[in-house]
């Protein structure tokens, strides 16, 4: 299962750092396809693809944040822990970064060397305190309406009923998982913050997130980087290059 869950499409034998990338809702590792060319030979990228996405589209989606975090942490420990590793995640991916980091430390005594988080407020933020919706129990019509009200899908999908129907199962699972990663202080990483540096990426045209609250999850260095664009700013090639340049510099600093 590891080769499906975690995929390294561009091997870099001389790399001293691995970058594990966590995609946003409804997506898989392919959204980071352009990154390996932008990353130096010192950084080897490993992408996360959850069941029900992309090459795993025939598999049933997982609705448990705990199970997903456990599976990813176990795969990293077994196959990718021989080198320092960074995490980078956007939106749902940002939340999964923190859950996997907490699970790695709890189960294996491991931590990422650095984490990059984007497009979401942390699990304990008051901004994420909203009425939870039981997305999993909704009928198709109600769930479709709820997804459209969230207004985060591109028009190419929302205006195409057949394409939207393809995306709905993965989105239902992802939104269920997102609503599970909400907790009070102190819990998980907040009981004992991480030691690694943590960088938050903010797109200036996106929703307002509680980026400063991420600082509570680490005892290491903390910084915020701002980008031009809306919630999907990571799709922009210019922003991708800026992000990869930052990662390359941080990887070089570990040597």
């Amino acid at each position: 299962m590891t080769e499906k869950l975690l995929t390294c499409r561009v091997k870099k034998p001389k790399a001293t750092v691995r970058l594990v990338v966590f995609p946003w809702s409804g997506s898989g590792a392919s959204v980071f396809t352009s990154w390996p060319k932008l990353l130096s030979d010192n950084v080897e990228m490993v992408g996360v693809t959850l069941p029900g996405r992309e090459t795993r589209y025939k598999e049933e989606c997982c609705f448990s944040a705990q199970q997903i975090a456990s599976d990813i942490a176990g795969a990293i420990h077994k196959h990718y822990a021989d080198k320092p590793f960074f995490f980078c995640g956007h939106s749902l991916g940002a939340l999964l970064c923190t859950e996997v980091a907490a699970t790695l430390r709890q189960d294996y005594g491991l931590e990422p060397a650095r984490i990059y988080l984007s497009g979401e407020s942390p699990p304990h933020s008051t901004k994420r305190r909203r009425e939870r919706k039981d997305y999993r129990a909704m009928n198709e019509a109600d769930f479709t309406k709820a997804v459209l009200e969230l207004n985060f899908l591109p028009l190419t999908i929302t205006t195409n009923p057949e394409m939207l129907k393809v995306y709905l199962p993965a989105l239902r699972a992802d939104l269920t998982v997102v609503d599970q990663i909400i907790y009070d202080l102190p819990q998980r990483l907040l009981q004992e913050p991480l030691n690694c540096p943590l960088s938050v990426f903010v797109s200036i045209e996106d929703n307002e997130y509680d980026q400063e609250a991420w600082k509570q999850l680490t005892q290491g260095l903390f910084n915020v980087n701002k980008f031009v664009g809306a919630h999907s700013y990571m799709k922009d090639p210019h922003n991708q290059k800026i992000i990869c340049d930052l990662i390359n510099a941080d990887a070089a600093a570990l040597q």
Side-chain angles (χ1 to χ4, degrees), residues 65-100:
Q66 183 178 4
Q67 185 62 56
I68 291 171
S70 178
D71 289 345
I72 296 173
I76 291 172
H77 172 253
K78 186 174 182 180
H79 298 285
Y80 296 108
D82 58 318
K83 299 178 181 180
F85 51 89
F86 295 171
F87 282 178
C88 180
H90 178 68
S91 196
L92 165 68
L95 295 172
L96 288 179
C97 278
T98 61
E99 287 300 286
V100 174

Side-chain angles (χ1 to χ4, degrees), residues 223-237:
N223 60 69
V224 175
N225 299 269
K226 294 186 177 181
F227 294 83
V228 175
H231 189 68
S232 59
Y233 78 99
M234 271 197 180
K235 295 180 179 180
D236 181 84

Side-chain angles (χ1 to χ4, degrees), residues 4 11 30 50 85 107 121 126 146 179 188 222 236 242:
K4 296 181 180 180
K11 304 287 186 182
S30 70
L50 300 179
F85 51 89
D107 294 351
S121 297
T126 55
D179 271 359
R188 298 288 274 172
F222 176 84
D236 181 84
I242 295 173

Side-chain angles (χ1 to χ4, degrees), residues 15-255:
T16 60
V17 175
R18 286 197 175 94
L19 173 69
V20 183
V21 288
F22 296 74
W24 46 90
S25 295
S27 302
S30 70
V31 297
F32 298 100
T33 297
S34 61
W35 286 36
K37 292 182 180 179
L38 299 173
L39 294 167
S40 70
D41 290 340
N42 192 39
V43 183
E44 182 178 75
M45 190 185 81
V46 177
V48 172
T49 299
L50 300 179
R53 285 79 166 167
E54 299 182 355
T55 56
R56 307 185 68 188
Y57 74 96
K58 291 185 178 180
E59 300 177 43
E60 288 196 14
C61 296
C62 180
F63 288 81
S64 168
Q66 183 178 4
Q67 185 62 56
I68 291 171
S70 178
D71 289 345
I72 296 173
I76 291 172
H77 172 253
K78 186 174 182 180
H79 298 285
Y80 296 108
D82 58 318
K83 299 178 181 180
F85 51 89
F86 295 171
F87 282 178
C88 180
H90 178 68
S91 196
L92 165 68
L95 295 172
L96 288 179
C97 278
T98 61
E99 287 300 286
V100 174
T103 303
L104 273 170
R105 186 175 63 187
Q106 175 182 296
D107 294 351
Y108 306 106
L110 296 172
E111 282 192 20
R114 180 178 280 271
I115 299 179
Y116 307 91
L117 303 168
S118 168
E120 188 54 272
S121 297
H124 62 284
S125 170
T126 55
K127 280 192 171 292
R128 301 198 66 240
R129 300 294 173 187
R130 56 180 172 76
E131 184 180 351
R132 300 186 190 185
K133 298 179 180 179
D134 191 353
Y135 291 107
R136 191 173 187 181
M138 289 181 182
N139 62 40
E140 187 168 334
D142 288 343
F143 180 67
T144 302
K145 180 181 178 182
V147 167
L148 294 177
E149 287 175 350
L150 290 172
N151 197 32
F152 67 86
L153 290 177
L155 287 175
T156 52
I157 295 177
T158 58
T159 57
N160 186 326
E162 291 302 314
M163 188 176 292
L164 180 61
K165 190 173 181 179
V166 171
Y167 271 80
L168 288 180
L171 288 173
R172 188 188 293 270
D174 288 344
L175 291 173
T176 300
V177 167
V178 166
D179 271 359
Q180 291 172 12
I181 309 177
I182 297 177
Y183 45 71
D184 295 315
L185 297 172
Q187 191 173 333
R188 298 288 274 172
L189 291 175
L190 298 162
Q191 292 177 338
E192 183 184 348
L194 294 166
N195 296 302
C196 67
L198 194 155
S199 297
V200 172
F201 299 155
V202 177
S203 49
I204 59 176
E205 297 168 40
D206 195 2
N207 297 324
E208 184 178 344
Y209 297 110
D210 192 1
Q211 64 258 26
E212 291 297 325
W214 284 110
K215 187 186 302 183
Q216 294 177 267
L217 300 188
T218 185
Q219 301 176 80
L221 296 175
F222 176 84
N223 60 69
V224 175
N225 299 269
K226 294 186 177 181
F227 294 83
V228 175
H231 189 68
S232 59
Y233 78 99
M234 271 197 180
K235 295 180 179 180
D236 181 84
H238 178 68
N239 287 333
Q240 291 174 5
K241 185 177 187 307
I242 295 173
I243 292 170
C244 288
D245 284 347
L246 289 171
I247 293 169
N248 289 334
D250 290 337
L254 282 184
Q255 295 181 319

